[in-house]
Amino acid sequence: MKHTLSVLVENKPGVLVRVAGLFSRRGFNIDSLTVGRTENPDVSRMTIVVDGDDRFIEQVTKQLHKLIDVIKISDISAEEYVDRDLVLIKVAAEPSQRVEIMQMAGVFRARVVDLGRKTITLECTGHEGKINAFEESLRPYGIKELVRTGKVAMLRGSKLSGDAELTGRRKDGE
Amino acid sequence: MTVAEAIVRCLEKEGVKVVFGYPGGAILPVYDALYHTSNIKHVLVRHEQGAVHAADGYARVTGKVGVCMATSGPGATNLVTGIANAYMDSIPLVLFTGQVPVSQIGTDSFQEVDITGITLPITKHNYLVKDPDKVPSIVKSAFHIASTGRPGPVLIDLPKDVTLAKIDFKYPTAVKLRGYKPTYRGHPYKIREVAEIIRKSQRPVIYAGGGILSSNAADELVQLAETISAPVTNTFMGLASFPGDHPLFLGMLGLHGTRYANLAITECDLLIALGARFDDRVVLKLGAFAPNATVIHIDIDPAEIGKIVKTHVPLVGDVKHVLKALVPLLEKVDRSEWLERIQQLKEQYPLTYGEGAGLKPQFIIEELCRLTKGRAIVVTDVGQHQMWVAQYYRFHEPRSLVSSGGLGTMGFGLPAAVGASMAESGKQVILVTGDGSIQMTMQELGTLMEQELPLKIFVMNNFSLGMVRQLQKFYHEGRYMATTFRFHPDFPLLAQSYGMKAYTLETREDAVHLLPEILSEPGPVMVNCLIPPEEDVMPMVLAGKGIDEAID
């Protein structure tokens, strides 16, 4: 099962390599990883999607907790949450095909961000499944280039991911 | 003052008495600062690997943080094996390495290496310092991280321009680390649950590891065992945490453990794991390890719980804290039936070795134990001799075995013995090594002599890499590829060239007659013990077999 871990880390050089290195040397696979600053400039949030059973996720979480620069970990997939992925896709488009492609983009609420002589670049955000469907629908035209951000996620309602109940340390301390 | 001077002040504030190291260009400002202090003794080793192992040996004996210094580039990379060794055995170390000036980092300049990158997976934490003002708080954090929670090595990489910079020195009184708060006290509800399960058990076994030593919980361990009348087996790392001659002691368990310890594990209905991590050399075949037992696992590192075996009651906390809370909840019980069964196993499967011709290494260890009353500090290297020490030396006091457990680092012994001898424990220090191991770090004999340490070195010399040879015997039909030495230095002559006394033991009679004299020598001695190459470490559990299937 896929799990989405929301990880608060110190915003310091080398933190990403500590987290990524931990995954590779313990034989854990990362599906996607995004990182960016939070409302607090000293703190970054990583959204890590990993695939594995509960025991595996427990071990990943515990090992991450041992990193000094990791402040908090929440497995937000255990709760109600929203997540978004952003994609930029450059599609081959002869001037005659532009309208058709732009109509398609409208269905997915994607936006045109650039227009070339023979290409059109689209931006789309949404749930992973929607992004996949968008990509499939453009494939027949010829995708020249594609870049995805990976998933960012947040708990629904007034709950904060940083305070979610499922931080590994608390779970085991009890 | 300069950052280098500030670092020395930080070390003084941390109560550091000894630093093991080797100078070089990039770390020179720190050495210059050491020149101006008389409070810290610097021990000059002969290779940086020796410095880190010596700091490690010092830390294991004293329980304090071992401190080590080296220069950039090769100086730093030479520390790597020793850092990995300390990391695997959870030994608190703070290591300082020199680095090229900040402006040259990343340009492949002379003696530049990315040591924080290299040591990422083998340190508890590490720092590359770029801001001179942060040095005091980083040093403070490093000592805190190294010595608290599950201990481990912390490295601080110091660019030369940083150590030369001037700062206003102020040593912080507290450490603020948002992401690091080890759990010391076990949850009271869980502790009560553990007490209840112990009360209901018929055949409990305590399986105690190195965590007992790091948390200084040896007394509490004895109290627990005596209160609930449970036999105690030690992991290799846990040896010396329980008295070797205690009637409840089962010796070491696992691959080369006693058969009665291994069978007690098989027959127990409750396994109480204390500061141990279910290492593969202990568990062997997973399904056959304590198959009938409820498992209680008490450890300060949450990541160890449930990592290997299914745990019924996890309890995160410092073993000493937890046992202090747990023992008063328990009442004294008499488990005569279970203890009789244990006694029966001890009689049925005693630890023995053949009394054949030649000088038996097991006999030497037994004699050393008898003559020192089990109260010496025994340092070992890695291989057969290490297992013979584990089996035949009955330790009495915590922190009296210094050995590389997790990483199995040949060459650890001599430098670690230098560190152990510098600990001022007031105890005799003995190094038991092999002819293979000692040749890996033999240059530290110079350090030993320079520091005037009265170490007694026993080289178990079988002209081969005994443990590997044993593996070839059992798993490769006796094809002894690259495990026999066709050339050796004359060990006694080598020792004499350093100004050490030397002996050679060839027979049992030699050992009986000369060992008392050797141990009472005032200075360092090297003893070349010519032991039979065909001697194996027994008992042994063959690959793929369960813990109850050892062969003698």
Side-chain angles (χ1 to χ4, degrees):
Chain A
M1 188 195 151
K2 283 200 178 167
H3 290 253
T4 305
L5 304 178
S6 183
V7 185
L8 290 178
V9 298
E10 300 281 354
N11 184 10
K12 281 184 188 164
V15 176
L16 180 60
V17 76
R18 284 179 202 277
V19 171
L22 179 97
F23 274 80
S24 68
R25 74 174 170 274
R26 296 259 171 200
F28 305 150
N29 267 321
I30 304 179
D31 256 35
S32 81
L33 188 156
T34 61
V35 56
R37 250 171 44 185
T38 61
E39 68 280 8
N40 178 350
D42 295 341
V43 177
S44 294
R45 183 186 299 280
M46 291 185 181
T47 306
I48 308 174
V49 181
V50 280
D51 197 2
D53 57 20
D54 289 348
R55 202 177 146 192
F56 170 83
I57 297 298
E58 184 181 319
Q59 187 57 210
V60 169
T61 309
K62 286 171 165 178
Q63 292 294 347
L64 278 174
H65 253 304
K66 288 175 72 170
L67 298 178
I68 309 290
D69 290 335
V70 169
I71 303 167
K72 233 162 206 173
I73 303 165
S74 327
D75 182 355
I76 66 173
S77 39
E79 299 183 52
E80 287 291 313
Y81 70 105
V82 283
D83 65 83
R84 287 293 178 269
D85 207 341
L86 184 145
V87 67
L88 292 175
I89 305 182
K90 188 177 286 179
V91 201
E94 293 298 329
S96 61
Q97 293 174 297
R98 278 180 190 163
V99 177
E100 191 184 331
I101 290 172
M102 281 158 76
Q103 273 175 350
M104 175 101 63
V107 174
F108 288 94
R109 283 187 228 155
R111 295 194 308 145
V112 176
V113 290
D114 191 39
L115 215 52
R117 265 196 312 122
K118 289 185 172 177
T119 60
I120 182 165
T121 305
L122 300 159
E123 171 207 316
C124 183
T125 62
H127 191 71
E128 197 183 1
K130 174 185 159 185
I131 303 291
N132 291 343
F134 183 53
E135 183 186 331
E136 283 311 309
S137 67
L138 291 173
R139 200 172 291 283
Y141 301 97
I143 295 175
K144 295 282 185 200
E145 224 174 359
L146 182 149
V147 57
R148 283 175 81 151
T149 57
K151 184 152 87 171
V152 290
M154 196 176 261
L155 288 177
R156 284 188 185 275
S158 49
K159 255 186 157 174
L160 307 176
S161 308
D163 291 329
E165 287 301 307
L166 264 161
T167 59
R169 186 172 296 144
R170 284 193 203 169
K171 197 172 159 190
D172 300 306
E174 285 165 15
Chain B
M1 67 174 77
T2 64
V3 166
E5 287 161 351
I7 289 169
V8 173
R9 285 285 295 279
C10 293
L11 295 181
E12 288 170 356
K13 294 263 186 195
E14 288 294 332
V16 174
K17 300 271 189 296
V18 192
V19 168
F20 302 88
Y22 204 97
I27 193 77
L28 267 192
V30 182
Y31 272 81
D32 200 40
L34 278 173
Y35 182 84
H36 295 288
T37 174
S38 55
N39 303 327
I40 296 172
K41 183 179 174 65
H42 179 270
V43 176
L44 176 65
V45 294
R46 299 301 185 262
H47 182 289
E48 289 87 353
Q49 185 186 350
V52 55
H53 287 328
D56 181 323
Y58 179 85
R60 286 182 206 239
V61 172
T62 59
K64 292 194 230 163
V65 177
V67 181
C68 168
M69 268 175 203
T71 195
S72 64
T77 54
N78 280 344
L79 298 177
V80 170
T81 300
I83 298 173
N85 186 73
Y87 185 68
M88 285 288 265
D89 287 350
S90 306
I91 304 302
L93 298 183
V94 171
L95 308 113
F96 295 92
T97 47
Q99 182 55 280
V100 300
V102 173
S103 58
Q104 287 179 26
I105 290 178
T107 65
D108 305 314
S109 61
F110 180 64
Q111 292 196 331
E112 181 192 351
V113 78
D114 173 15
I115 196 64
T116 46
I118 290 171
T119 59
L120 210 64
I122 51 167
T123 48
K124 190 170 168 187
H125 196 52
N126 62 24
Y127 297 90
L128 167 59
V129 188
K130 289 185 176 167
D131 178 355
D133 288 319
K134 287 202 175 134
V135 168
S137 74
I138 286 176
V139 176
K140 177 92 187 170
S141 301
F143 274 86
H144 177 73
I145 292 169
S147 59
T148 55
R150 178 179 179 171
V154 179
L155 182 139
I156 304 176
D157 199 21
L158 298 162
K160 194 170 184 179
D161 53 341
V162 170
T163 47
L164 289 169
K166 299 255 186 203
I167 57 166
D168 291 328
F169 179 74
K170 197 168 160 270
Y171 202 53
T173 48
V175 177
K176 264 184 268 167
L177 293 162
R178 279 185 287 208
Y180 180 71
K181 293 181 189 78
T183 308
Y184 281 88
R185 292 184 192 284
H187 195 286
Y189 171 78
K190 283 280 180 198
I191 293 176
R192 282 199 299 276
E193 189 185 342
V194 166
E196 199 46 47
I197 289 172
I198 291 176
R199 222 169 268 134
K200 283 185 190 146
S201 73
Q202 307 290 315
R203 302 182 304 281
V205 168
I206 298 172
Y207 150 57
I212 302 288
L213 298 163
S214 1
S215 78
N216 297 315
D219 291 343
E220 287 77 9
L221 174 61
V222 173
Q223 283 165 18
L224 174 71
E226 289 178 351
T227 307
I228 66 171
S229 299
V232 176
T233 178
N234 272 144
T235 66
F236 177 71
M237 286 305 296
L239 286 170
S241 69
F242 197 78
D245 59 354
H246 196 290
L248 289 170
F249 191 51
L250 296 170
M252 180 177 74
L253 82 166
L255 180 66
H256 291 301
T258 64
R259 293 203 65 186
Y260 41 91
N262 288 352
L263 291 167
I265 292 285
T266 307
E267 293 184 16
C268 72
D269 68 348
L270 174 65
L271 185 70
I272 307 170
L274 303 174
R277 60 181 178 89
F278 295 86
D279 179 77
D280 55 288
R281 290 294 191 269
V282 164
V283 172
L284 305 164
K285 194 163 81 184
L286 202 51
F289 187 76
N292 310 313
T294 301
V295 177
I296 294 171
H297 193 178
I298 303 174
D299 202 286
I300 199 158
D301 182 358
E304 288 304 343
I305 295 177
K307 186 178 84 174
I308 308 289
V309 301
K310 194 177 173 323
T311 303
H312 302 88
V313 189
L315 213 171
V316 177
D318 176 74
V319 179
K320 191 186 184 86
H321 277 95
V322 172
L323 292 186
K324 276 196 159 170
L326 174 66
V327 174
L329 302 181
L330 297 161
E331 41 291 308
K332 213 157 165 70
V333 278
D334 170 44
R335 288 185 216 274
S336 48
E337 206 177 309
W338 176 225
L339 294 182
E340 270 165 34
R341 172 64 186 150
I342 295 288
Q343 192 51 39
Q344 201 183 353
L345 290 173
K346 282 185 178 177
E347 281 160 20
Q348 202 173 345
Y349 303 104
L351 196 57
T352 53
Y353 57 93
E355 295 283 337
L359 175 61
K360 293 283 179 170
Q362 300 93 330
F363 176 71
I364 301 174
I365 308 296
E366 280 186 326
E367 280 295 282
L368 287 175
C369 181
R370 188 177 64 81
L371 291 164
T372 57
K373 302 185 174 61
R375 281 171 171 80
I377 289 174
V378 183
V379 185
T380 85
D381 250 302
V382 170
Q384 288 183 313
H385 69 271
Q386 181 186 30
M387 290 300 112
W388 288 320
V389 167
Q391 293 173 332
Y392 290 96
Y393 195 95
R394 290 171 169 262
F395 292 92
H396 277 77
E397 283 159 23
R399 301 184 175 281
S400 57
L401 170 64
V402 175
S403 190
S404 165
L407 196 67
T409 312
M410 285 175 69
F412 171 79
L414 180 57
V418 168
S421 303
M422 299 291 298
E424 297 180 338
S425 62
K427 292 179 198 161
Q428 177 151 43
V429 183
I430 292 172
L431 168 63
V432 180
T433 178
D435 50 322
S437 287
I438 194 156
Q439 290 188 77
M440 286 203 174
T441 49
M442 204 155 59
Q443 70 281 3
E444 302 304 337
L445 288 173
T447 313
L448 178 76
M449 295 309 291
E450 200 161 270
Q451 300 299 328
E452 302 175 5
L453 303 171
L455 181 67
K456 307 295 179 282
I457 303 173
F458 293 85
V459 182
M460 299 293 160
N461 187 354
N462 53 11
F463 283 81
S464 62
L465 297 173
M467 189 57 101
V468 186
R469 186 182 195 279
Q470 184 172 339
L471 295 178
Q472 288 171 331
K473 175 177 167 184
F474 283 96
Y475 301 122
H476 299 276
E477 285 101 33
R479 292 184 295 275
Y480 299 122
M481 177 65 196
T483 44
T484 308
F485 290 110
R486 285 187 294 115
F487 176 84
H488 261 343
D490 180 326
F491 285 110
L493 205 57
L494 178 84
Q496 283 160 22
S497 78
Y498 277 93
M500 287 174 82
K501 266 203 159 181
Y503 290 80
T504 294
L505 305 183
E506 279 182 85
T507 62
R508 186 187 168 95
E509 289 65 41
D510 285 351
V512 172
H513 291 134
L514 292 171
L515 282 177
E517 177 185 325
I518 291 165
L519 290 174
S520 55
E521 281 286 345
V525 180
M526 185 188 280
V527 187
N528 185 24
C529 306
L530 301 174
I531 62 166
E534 56 279 356
E535 196 65 34
D536 289 322
V537 177
M538 287 294 159
M540 175 183 188
V541 179
L542 292 173
K545 299 282 184 187
I547 195 167
D548 56 329
E549 298 175 275
I551 52 168
D552 286 306

